[in-house]
Amino acid sequence: MKINAVTVFCGSKLGANPGYSLQSQILGKGLAQKGISLIYGGGGKGIMGAIADACLLEGGKVIGIIPKLLLEWEAQHESLTELIVTEDMHSRKLLLYNKCDAAIILPGGMGTMDELFEMLTWNNLSIHNIKVYVLNWNGFYNNLIAMLDQMETDGFLYDNWRERFIICENAETILNAFS
Ligand code: AMP
């Protein structure tokens, strides 16, 4: 499948290891070079800001989708190709899912997990069919992957979820998956 746009979910903080933002910058730059639009939550801070800046710097197209609530905190990115403001978090998430051909999960916190698991659940329910690429650089998601393995071993998961949950060890591997 030709990938024209990817939605990236990631931390609104930078994290303790500078490698997380470095990997995100490699990804943002690579998306721009491949002519793939970056869609994300519209934030200017943390990993969110790092990937958006790197993509824009390389001449890429970056679309931010942000709810009014977060706009009022004035932390949105100021120089995106396009900023879409939604009424609430739920309409924001729907747009983030609907606009992409694939999704990427970078290191992040609870918000990132919320979005990851909603995407995986909606895949299970056939509400959408989106491949999710998980950046497991530095083993950041090892414990999460172990938890999913445990759920599967103990019979709580549905079939074929692994086909749309693709673990990649670095940004280059994710980029190579996109034509
Ligand atoms: P977390 O992984 O907890 O840092 O959450 C990432 C999520 O935080 C994003 O997808 C947003 O829902 C939310 N978020 C926090 N700050 C911002 C911001 N300034 N702009 C956009 N989204 C933000």
Side-chain angles (χ1 to χ4, degrees):
M1 182 189 176
K2 171 92 180 96
I3 302 292
N4 295 309
V6 296
T7 290
V8 173
F9 298 101
C10 57
S12 51
K13 297 182 77 172
L14 275 176
N17 187 328
Y20 298 137
S21 47
L22 194 63
Q23 285 290 307
S24 309
Q25 286 161 347
I26 293 169
L27 196 60
K29 185 176 174 182
L31 290 175
Q33 288 169 346
K34 283 177 174 271
I36 298 173
S37 299
L38 165 65
I39 299 163
Y40 85 119
K45 295 185 304 181
I47 302 282
M48 297 176 87
I51 187 167
D53 286 342
C55 190
L56 288 166
L57 194 68
E58 196 65 18
K61 185 175 168 189
V62 184
I63 302 168
I65 305 178
I66 194 162
K68 270 185 188 164
L69 169 82
L70 288 177
L71 201 57
E72 280 159 18
W73 291 0
E74 289 185 322
Q76 82 273 17
H77 200 293
E78 297 293 348
S79 47
L80 300 177
T81 315
E82 189 184 356
L83 185 71
I84 300 172
V85 181
T86 63
E87 273 306 311
D88 52 41
M89 283 295 275
H90 288 108
S91 37
R92 173 217 222 174
K93 289 205 284 184
L94 199 59
L95 267 187
L96 285 167
Y97 306 154
N98 286 347
K99 279 187 167 295
C100 70
D101 304 311
I104 299 171
I105 304 289
L106 301 180
M110 291 179 183
T112 306
M113 291 301 89
D114 169 57
E115 288 148 346
L116 166 63
F117 279 100
E118 190 163 78
M119 291 208 96
L120 295 178
T121 309
W122 288 20
N123 271 342
N124 274 341
L125 299 174
S126 300
I127 297 170
H128 60 205
N129 180 11
I130 299 173
K131 281 195 175 174
V132 180
Y133 294 82
V134 179
L135 179 70
N136 191 37
W137 185 82
N138 198 34
F140 181 78
Y141 282 118
N142 281 351
N143 290 335
L144 180 87
I145 294 162
M147 186 70 239
L148 285 164
D149 288 341
Q150 182 76 46
M151 289 176 195
E152 183 164 62
T153 302
D154 284 353
F156 285 106
L157 298 191
Y158 293 89
D159 290 342
N160 304 329
W161 65 277
R162 282 181 199 273
E163 288 168 16
R164 287 168 298 191
F165 181 85
I166 300 136
I167 302 159
C168 299
E169 299 305 323
N170 53 52
E172 289 85 354
T173 313
I174 297 182
L175 287 165
N176 288 339
F178 300 148
S179 53

